[in-house]
Amino acid sequence: MNSKVISALKITGLDSNVITNLIEIPKDIAHGDYAFPCFILSKTMRKNPIEIAREIAGKIKSKDFEKVYAVGPYVNFFLDSKKNAVEILEKIIKLKSMYGSSSIGKGKKFMIEFSQPNTHKAFHVGHIRGTSLGESIARLREFCGYKVTRANYSGDTGMHIAKWLWAYSKFHKGEKIQDDEAWFAEIYVEAVQKLEGNESGEIEVAEINRKIDSRKDAKLVKLWKDTRLKSIAAWTPIYKDLDVKFDKHFFESQVESAGKKIANDLVKDGIAIISDGATIIDLKKYDLGVWVLLRNDGTVLYSAKDLALAKDKFLKYKIDESLITTSVEQNLHFKQLIKTLELMNFKNWEKYGHMGYESVRLPEGKMSSRTGTNVLYADFRNELVDAAKEEISKRANVSNKEIGLRSLAIAMAAMKYSMLKQDTNKVIIFNKEESIKFEGDTGPYLLYSYARANSILDNAKYKQTDKIKLNSIEVNERALINELAFFPDEILESCNNNSPAQVTHY
């Protein structure tokens, strides 16, 4: 928010933070650059807010403003447009790509956990939303001075793994293990379908899960480890496309034993109980239902594993704050987790945050990895790349290599922007034709705008050492300068709210 306006309004006696929160940006620049509503002052000053606005406007005498006048209960401020433009442009030129950054996170360690694909399953369209969201929040935090650790956490044990291993051993034994997400996804869907109404199969799967949990069946453990590695390898090209790198990758198998110990300790401490052989925490009095930590056969659920991971994050990595992004389907689970951390007197429980985001759907309906109706990342990517190639061919005569490079960049922009522009509480209905458009509210249009802006600078033969001289400034130029001036505020608010959508709207 403009410091000159805030300073001028100190005559109201209000705190600077209150003033900042009250200042508005007029929709029409003809009504000024900033406006201050005087309603809050009517009670203390015992006057009509219209009269108060006139008094304040009459008292402000500053060369920083072309004019200050009252319109009804508002005080409208017109900045010295030429002076303001020079100041903003000089700041941008000086700071370059760091314009808009802040130091609010200086000295603070922030860990964000996102993406979270499970091994032996598909990396699908829904994962793109979580991955894009997490990476964007990480970049916002870094831009505001935080030391950020990007963490991924994948399920590499549990019933879904047991189902996959069961199907592979039954119907694909001896088949070459591939580092292909589609191959893993097909076998998992096959397992789900063939286990439906299959009691003997379910018993066999439960036995496989127990053997993996105990690590006593060497042959089965080797198959699990070999397929696990190939499944993880399949993510490498995906993260390269999405321009995401993780500092730490956690796996459920690493926190299993610690999770069991915590579950048993919670029973000793009277926080958890044994019910029908299972270890549970009764959270009904907090309207959070019952949380199961261990099955009645002693195998550990991801609830207990998450407790172990929470402790690791703060104790081993010495972080100040943690944020986990997952689908909204996990909202209850994380409320149960955070409440349990509180009951355990875990000192950092209030700094263990969770953000749930809604699903991604195609126009034809909801996707599911269980039924095979999920759209795999690779298929989704290739469709967008092909659509981008078609559009490029209409507009430019370039080599096949150049078309390949441009089409991938455009596809990634279409994909990520469409995921980031929506607030997390909104379901995304992904429309390929809309997302790939070269005009409007799309990623490709932003790329086009960026290229055009650079072209303008090149044609102007602009140098960063040039001194800025302005003889006059027109209304549309003034509006543009104001938009550039708002950027630091937008970044700060987006960072504080963990809201990349706010940046995309800006």
Side-chain angles (χ1 to χ4, degrees), residues 26 45 80 130 189 209 257 269 285 379 466:
M45 295 179 70
D80 181 326
V189 171
N209 189 48
S257 58
D269 295 339
K285 67 180 178 181
D379 295 336
D466 289 346

Side-chain angles (χ1 to χ4, degrees), residues 339-436:
K339 174 51 72 175
T340 301
L341 289 172
E342 181 186 0
L343 295 174
M344 291 166 59
N345 292 319
F346 184 64
K347 70 174 184 177
N348 301 108
W349 71 270
E350 290 180 290
K351 295 293 185 181
Y352 205 66
H354 171 253
M355 174 189 287
Y357 53 85
E358 270 290 358
S359 61
V360 179
R361 302 184 184 186
L362 300 180
E364 52 268 31
K366 191 176 181 180
M367 297 175 284
S368 168
S369 58
R370 291 176 59 82
T371 61
T373 56
N374 248 322
V375 176
L376 298 181
Y377 167 81
D379 295 336
F380 186 65
R381 168 200 188 274
N382 293 339
E383 274 193 41
L384 286 173
V385 167
D386 289 343
K389 283 180 179 176
E390 192 176 325
E391 291 296 325
I392 293 167
S393 299
K394 293 176 188 175
R395 291 167 165 77
N397 183 20
V398 293
S399 67
N400 288 336
K401 183 181 178 182
E402 183 62 24
I403 286 178
L405 291 170
R406 290 189 190 184
S407 61
L408 180 59
I410 289 167
M412 290 300 110
M415 191 186 293
K416 290 195 219 175
Y417 185 79
S418 64
M419 301 290 175
L420 292 172
K421 73 178 182 179
Q422 296 285 2
D423 291 331
T424 54
N425 61 354
K426 291 182 180 176
V427 173
I428 293 175
I429 308 296
F430 187 88
N431 185 303
K432 181 182 73 176
E433 286 72 26
E434 288 297 317
S435 73
I436 208 73

Side-chain angles (χ1 to χ4, degrees), residues 18-31:
V18 175
I19 294 170
T20 300
N21 290 330
L22 288 171
I23 291 173
E24 298 176 10
I25 311 297
K27 290 181 180 178
D28 186 345
I29 199 164
H31 298 153

Side-chain angles (χ1 to χ4, degrees), residues 156-163 188 202-203 205-215 252 256 259-260 263-264 267 273-281 290-305:
D156 60 339
T157 59
M159 291 303 286
H160 83 275
I161 304 290
K163 288 175 183 178
Y188 178 71
E202 292 286 2
I203 291 169
V205 167
E207 181 58 24
I208 289 172
N209 189 48
R210 279 191 291 274
K211 286 179 178 179
I212 292 294
D213 187 70
S214 68
R215 308 286 198 272
E252 285 190 25
E256 271 184 341
K260 276 187 183 181
N264 292 327
V267 174
I273 59 171
I274 306 297
S275 175
D276 293 330
T279 304
I280 68 165
I281 300 178
V290 172
W291 207 37
V292 185
L293 303 176
L294 304 178
R295 295 184 184 90
N296 55 16
D297 63 1
T299 54
V300 61
L301 288 161
Y302 61 85
S303 45
K305 298 172 194 175

Side-chain angles (χ1 to χ4, degrees), residues 282-289 339 343:
D282 187 347
L283 298 170
K284 288 197 286 290
K285 67 180 178 181
Y286 306 107
D287 294 324
L288 295 174
K339 174 51 72 175
L343 295 174

